[in-house]
């Protein structure tokens, strides 16, 4: 059957492509695939041949057709003439089918236009990044932090050893000395013995609280979804090109999550700082907040960290040590609750013993807090210098002006992101789960005021000493000093780098809820974010 003597159409039930002779137009038949009853559409006599689609990207995304999209196209076509009878109704259906097909073509063209190809990405590069020499401040910070990160765990172990020695010495010598002659004489001796034993009990409680984080599982990091090169060829093409331009090793794994951030790490296993696994994590909100050129700059920043081999491994150890001390100082669990209950609910004498134990725990945590703050202050100096060095890669790749625009946009979107999360929490209290958290951030971004931005900058300036990142203004000033033009220039939305971006956002949002709620949240439990914003 030649194409000229046949009509080609899709089954409306299973979408299988079918052919029928021209004489079958308007007649009913049965689909060979799903066996459903179908109507063979009529070929409009005056419909001009469609123009060929322009050459496009490696993969055409799936389309979710809506009645609104079809209606917008129907409104642009010629009005449908009134018809009567069964034949007239069939003709009307045929005209609607043609209009719907036209809407699919237009929507397809729009999505195609917003997607990038690997060839476009390669053509956007005009050179490589000029590497900068490691600064003296960076080397000095590295040496100081290495020494301190060795001293802090040693100090922690010495504190535990001191507590054990004091406990044993007091039990062996102190208690007999204070209560030896009185325990034989009535109940008064018993009270004296309990009073003498109270410091030993308090020291034992303190020792338990100092070592209990060893046996308590730490909180899992936010779950991320791993991307594959097969599913996201365009994004991986950009990653490869940026790595080559920065002369940086390529990541062994690429993940996405729902944070407004990107990170380079050595994995999350216990001794991953000794291995060669490089993990790049990209927050999906970045694709909404930034354009393609800005996102490439952020990736260059992270790959700048990949070049800091010793720095990354030191940072992994530093974060582990700092996290350990933070757990010792701040983590509260059922043991803290039991100690408070024992202190308030038991009889007066025993309650005083537990109160002394609580006092000793506070003293120990105060000493550990000093350890933590010293380590955090020194490691923050190293991390700020690492951020400056990584900024060099971003500035050289996209230019000083784009770097400044990215810094400004990140300030605005960080406020919008926080507001969006608060709104999602309010909906959650009403059992409403938004299906795309990135849309919430995008919704609130235009509402951020200058006063809020000024307040954020002031907060950055106040906390600069203990911050792991330089202030936005410090980074922008460095970019101005570099006066770089950039070697990568690509215009367009960053979402054009990701295939099926909306579906990916919904899947990652669903995983975000699963972790936050510790419940089996499924996609069907989510509601469209646009509807929730309207209602």
């Amino acid at each position: 059957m030649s194409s000229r003597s046949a009509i080609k159409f899709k089954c409306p039930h299973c979408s299988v492509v079918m052919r029928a002779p021209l004489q079958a137009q308007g007649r009913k038949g049965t689909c060979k695939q799903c066996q459903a009853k179908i109507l063979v559409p009529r070929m409009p006599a005056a419909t001009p041949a469609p123009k060929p689609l322009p050459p496009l990207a490696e993969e055409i995304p799936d389309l979710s057709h809506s009645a609104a999209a079809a209606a917008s196209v129907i409104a642009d076509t010629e009005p449908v003439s009134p018809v009567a009878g069964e034949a007239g109704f069939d003709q009307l259906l045929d005209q609607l089918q043609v209009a719907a097909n036209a809407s699919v073509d237009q929507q397809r063209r729009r999505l195609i236009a917003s997607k990038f190809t690997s060839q476009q990405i390669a053509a956007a590069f005009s050179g490589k990044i000029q590497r900068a020499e490691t600064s003296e401040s960076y080397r000095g910070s590295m040496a100081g932090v290495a020494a301190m990160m060795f001293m802090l765990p040693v100090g922690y172990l010495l504190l535990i050893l001191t507590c054990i020695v004091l406990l044993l010495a007091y039990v062996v010598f102190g208690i007999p000395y204070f209560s030896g002659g009185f325990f034989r004489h009535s109940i008064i001796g018993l009270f004296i013995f309990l009073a003498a034993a109270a410091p030993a009990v308090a020291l034992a409680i303190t020792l338990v609280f100092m070592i209990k984080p060893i046996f308590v599982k730490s909180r899992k990091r936010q779950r991320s979804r791993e991307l594959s090169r097969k599913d996201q060829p365009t994004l991986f093409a950009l990653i490869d090109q940026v790595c080559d331009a920065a002369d940086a090793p390529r990541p062994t794994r690429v993940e996405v999550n729902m944070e407004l951030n990107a990170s380079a790490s050595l994995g999350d296993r216990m001794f991953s700082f000794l291995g060669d696994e490089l993990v790049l994590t990209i927050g999906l909100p970045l694709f909404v907040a930034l354009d393609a050129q800005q996102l490439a700059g952020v990736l260059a920043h992270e790959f700048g960290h990949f070049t800091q081999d010793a720095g990354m491994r030191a940072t992994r150890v530093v974060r582990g040590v700092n996290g350990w001390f933070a757990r010792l100082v701040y983590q509260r669990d059922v043991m803290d609750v039991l100690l408070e209950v024992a202190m308030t609910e038991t009889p007066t004498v025993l309650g005083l013993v537990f109160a002394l134990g609580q006092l000793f725990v506070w003293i120990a945590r105060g000493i550990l807090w000093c350890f933590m703050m010293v380590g955090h202050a020194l490691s923050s100096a190293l991390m700020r210098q690492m951020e400056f060095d990584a900024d060099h890669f971003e500035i050289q790749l996209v230019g000083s002006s784009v770097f400044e625009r990215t810094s400004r946009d990140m300030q605005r979107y960080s406020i919008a992101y926080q507001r969006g999360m608060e709104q999602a929490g309010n909906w959650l209290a009403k059992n409403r789960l938004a299906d795309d958290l990135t849309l919430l951030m995008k919704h609130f971004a235009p509402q951020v005021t200058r006063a809020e931005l000024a307040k954020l900058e002031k907060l950055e300036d106040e906390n600069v000493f203990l911050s792991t990142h330089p202030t936005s203004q410090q980074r922008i000033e460095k970019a101005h000093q570099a006066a770089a033009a950039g070697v990568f220039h690509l215009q367009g939305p960053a979402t054009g780098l990701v295939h099926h971006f909306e579906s990916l956002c919904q899947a990652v949002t669903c995983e975000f809820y699963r972790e936050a709620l510790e419940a089996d949240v499924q996609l069907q439990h989510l509601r469209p974010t646009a509807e929730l914003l309207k209602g």
Side-chain angles (χ1 to χ4, degrees):
M1 185 184 301
S2 66
S3 59
R4 294 184 178 181
S5 61
I7 180 172
K8 188 178 179 181
F9 63 99
K10 286 186 178 181
C11 173
H13 301 281
C14 65
S15 298
V16 67
V17 178
M18 303 180 63
R19 289 186 177 183
L22 293 176
Q23 296 81 358
Q25 296 182 76
R27 298 181 182 178
K28 296 182 179 180
T30 303
C31 175
K32 297 180 180 180
Q33 179 74 18
C34 64
Q35 303 300 316
K37 298 296 182 181
I38 59 175
L39 180 69
V40 179
R42 296 180 184 273
M43 181 179 295
T47 302
K51 297 180 180 180
L53 291 175
L56 171 73
E58 299 103 338
E59 181 177 340
I60 304 299
D62 293 335
L63 302 177
S64 300
H65 313 307
S66 63
S72 65
V73 176
I74 294 173
D76 296 334
T77 60
E78 296 181 359
V80 178
S81 304
V83 293
E86 183 178 353
F89 182 72
D90 291 343
Q91 184 179 357
L92 175 61
L93 291 178
D94 294 342
Q95 295 180 25
L96 290 174
Q97 180 65 42
V98 171
N101 290 338
S103 82
V104 170
D105 289 340
Q106 291 188 10
Q107 187 177 1
R108 181 173 178 269
R109 288 174 183 270
R110 287 194 298 269
L111 287 174
I112 286 171
S114 67
K115 298 296 179 181
F116 296 106
T117 66
S118 300
Q119 293 76 14
Q120 287 176 306
I121 292 173
F125 285 86
S126 60
K128 299 190 68 173
I129 297 173
Q130 298 296 323
R131 298 280 292 271
E133 295 184 1
T134 304
S135 62
E136 292 297 330
S137 59
Y138 176 77
R139 295 174 182 173
S141 298
M142 179 78 75
V145 168
M148 186 54 62
M149 288 301 109
F150 174 78
M151 296 298 297
L152 288 178
V154 171
Y156 166 69
L157 294 177
L158 287 176
L159 188 61
I160 292 179
L161 182 61
T162 301
C163 189
I164 294 175
V165 170
L166 288 176
L167 176 61
L168 293 177
Y170 189 79
V171 169
V172 174
F173 302 106
I175 294 179
Y177 176 79
F178 290 110
S179 62
F182 297 94
F183 187 66
R184 300 190 298 269
H185 303 287
S186 70
I187 196 170
I188 298 177
L190 177 61
F191 280 108
I192 294 176
F193 172 78
L194 291 177
V201 175
L203 283 171
I205 292 174
T206 304
L207 184 62
V208 170
F209 273 77
M210 289 179 63
I211 64 175
K212 71 182 176 72
I214 300 176
F215 307 100
V216 178
K217 292 183 178 181
S218 60
R219 186 179 182 272
K220 295 181 179 180
R221 69 185 183 97
Q222 181 177 343
R223 183 183 301 173
S224 301
R225 173 181 285 259
E226 183 175 356
L227 299 182
S228 68
R229 187 175 294 271
K230 178 181 177 181
D231 294 335
Q232 302 294 341
T234 308
L235 179 60
F236 274 84
L238 176 64
I239 291 172
D240 293 343
Q241 292 282 351
V242 175
C243 282
D244 293 343
D247 196 21
R250 296 181 179 180
T252 55
R253 195 166 77 242
V254 178
E255 299 178 344
V256 292
N257 59 20
M258 201 46 70
E259 295 182 359
L260 182 65
N261 190 28
S263 63
S265 66
L266 294 168
D268 55 355
R269 294 190 294 272
M270 180 177 294
F271 296 103
S272 57
F273 66 94
L274 298 176
D276 296 323
E277 184 182 30
L278 298 176
V279 182
L280 172 66
T281 304
I282 313 173
L284 289 179
L286 288 176
F287 290 91
V288 177
L290 308 177
D291 61 31
Q293 188 173 8
Q294 290 175 302
L295 182 70
V298 172
L299 296 181
H301 176 96
E302 300 306 326
F303 297 146
H305 287 309
F306 280 174
T307 65
Q308 302 165 335
D309 183 65
M312 281 193 66
R313 298 180 192 280
T315 300
R316 181 71 175 82
V317 175
V318 165
R319 292 186 186 277
V321 173
N322 287 344
W324 174 261
F325 279 106
R327 290 174 61 193
L328 287 170
V329 174
Y330 296 116
Q331 189 178 55
R332 301 294 185 267
D333 53 26
V334 64
M335 294 185 65
D336 292 271
V337 176
L338 291 176
L339 181 59
E340 292 180 2
V341 171
M343 185 173 57
T344 56
E345 301 295 333
T346 54
T348 304
V349 176
L350 292 178
L352 291 175
V353 173
F354 288 118
L356 184 62
Q358 180 74 283
L359 176 63
F360 281 17
V361 169
W362 285 345
I363 294 173
R365 282 176 171 168
I367 297 173
L368 294 173
W369 180 85
C370 294
F371 286 2
M372 180 189 72
M373 296 306 294
V374 171
H376 185 66
L378 289 177
S379 61
S380 294
L382 170 63
M383 292 181 183
R384 285 196 300 271
Q385 189 58 48
M386 290 179 65
E387 290 299 320
F388 277 131
D389 290 350
D391 281 348
H392 170 80
F393 288 82
E394 181 176 355
I395 295 168
Q396 292 296 317
L397 183 75
V398 298
S400 300
S401 60
V402 176
F403 179 90
E404 179 178 2
R405 180 159 56 90
T406 301
S407 299
R408 302 296 186 194
D409 288 345
M410 288 298 293
Q411 287 181 315
R412 177 177 298 275
Y413 276 97
S414 64
I415 298 174
Y417 177 83
Q418 183 64 33
R419 192 173 298 173
M421 286 298 178
E422 291 174 357
Q423 180 62 68
N426 294 336
W427 285 337
L428 185 60
K430 302 176 183 178
N431 293 325
R432 298 177 180 178
L433 304 180
D435 68 343
D436 189 348
L437 296 177
T438 65
L439 293 181
L440 278 177
M441 180 192 69
K442 185 177 180 180
H443 171 77
F444 286 110
Q447 304 177 22
V448 177
T449 64
R450 292 184 179 180
E452 290 175 311
L453 292 172
K455 182 178 180 181
L456 178 61
E457 291 184 356
K458 182 179 179 181
L459 187 63
E460 288 182 349
D461 292 335
E462 292 175 351
N463 299 324
V464 64
F465 180 71
L466 294 177
S467 176
T468 58
H469 289 66
T471 66
S472 298
Q473 190 58 40
Q474 289 174 332
R475 302 171 87 161
I476 291 173
E477 290 174 358
K478 286 277 189 179
H480 287 169
Q481 294 173 7
V487 296
F488 176 77
H489 303 280
L490 182 66
Q491 302 300 319
T495 53
L497 298 165
V498 181
H499 293 167
H500 316 305
F501 180 74
E502 293 79 8
S503 300
L504 182 61
C505 285
Q506 292 175 354
V508 176
T509 297
C510 189
E511 292 176 355
F512 176 85
Y513 284 129
R514 287 174 189 166
E515 180 185 12
L517 302 178
E518 297 183 352
D520 186 22
V521 179
Q522 301 296 329
L523 287 174
Q524 58 265 29
H525 299 149
L526 309 184
R527 296 182 59 180
T529 304
E531 291 184 5
L532 293 176
L533 287 171
K534 291 179 181 178

